[in-house]
Amino acid sequence: AVEKERVPMDGELRLSLRTRNAGPREGDAVVQVYIRDRVAQMVRPVMELKAFQRLTLKPGEERRITFTVPCDILGFVGKDYQRIVEPVEFDLMAGTSSRDILFKQTVTLEGKTRVLDGTRRLVSDCVIE
């Protein structure tokens, strides 16, 4: 689930999900979070990896994972050669790989285009419960 579908330009995206080991053996899972900018002023990749977390699960074990992705991470170099974050819609996706997307939801960044400086936050956080 996405905490908020509308996020301010200087805010954070929060995505929580559950993962479960349905197999008979202990195993590792790598949960990956991707974004897709739907209408950027510049051509951008179809999918960009913005966060990931590896975890080990026992047979039948289920864990809740919450990713916090600062909106600064969604920035790119615009047509004026400045690193910016635009107020647009993003597809927020999660899965085990870029070819195995299990969740997708649109999130809107609200506000004015923001020029990023050296204080931008470029690290996502993850909490496993």
Side-chain angles (χ1 to χ4, degrees):
V2 172
E3 184 179 275
K4 296 179 184 175
E5 292 181 18
R6 302 181 93 65
V7 180
M9 299 293 286
D10 60 349
E12 301 172 327
L13 304 174
R14 281 202 182 85
L15 170 66
S16 294
L17 53 99
R18 293 194 179 278
T19 186
R20 184 170 75 87
N21 181 352
R25 296 186 188 141
E26 183 176 275
D28 288 348
V30 179
V31 180
Q32 302 174 16
V33 177
Y34 294 87
I35 62 106
R36 177 173 185 248
D37 189 332
R38 297 175 131 208
V39 290
Q41 63 176 259
M42 303 292 286
V43 175
R44 295 190 63 188
V46 174
M47 297 177 88
E48 295 180 52
L49 180 64
K50 295 300 178 184
F52 64 93
Q53 181 65 49
R54 181 184 189 136
L55 65 154
T56 301
L57 299 169
K58 295 176 181 161
E61 184 179 15
E62 183 174 307
R63 304 290 296 269
R64 179 183 173 101
I65 305 169
T66 302
F67 290 96
T68 302
V69 180
C71 290
D72 293 355
I73 290 177
L74 307 178
F76 63 98
V77 177
K79 61 185 176 185
D80 295 330
Y81 302 105
Q82 292 184 311
R83 182 160 287 280
I84 61 171
V85 177
E86 292 183 308
V88 296
E89 290 184 342
F90 284 89
D91 289 331
L92 185 60
M93 300 166 275
T96 59
S97 75
S98 62
R99 293 179 183 240
D100 185 29
I101 297 300
L102 305 169
F103 172 85
K104 179 179 172 184
Q105 185 167 341
T106 301
V107 177
T108 304
L109 293 187
E110 297 182 320
K112 295 181 179 180
T113 297
R114 203 169 118 230
V115 175
L116 299 174
D117 58 21
T119 64
R120 65 186 186 259
R121 296 181 309 155
L122 298 177
V123 178
S124 298
D125 293 319
C126 181
V127 175
I128 301 172
E129 301 174 67

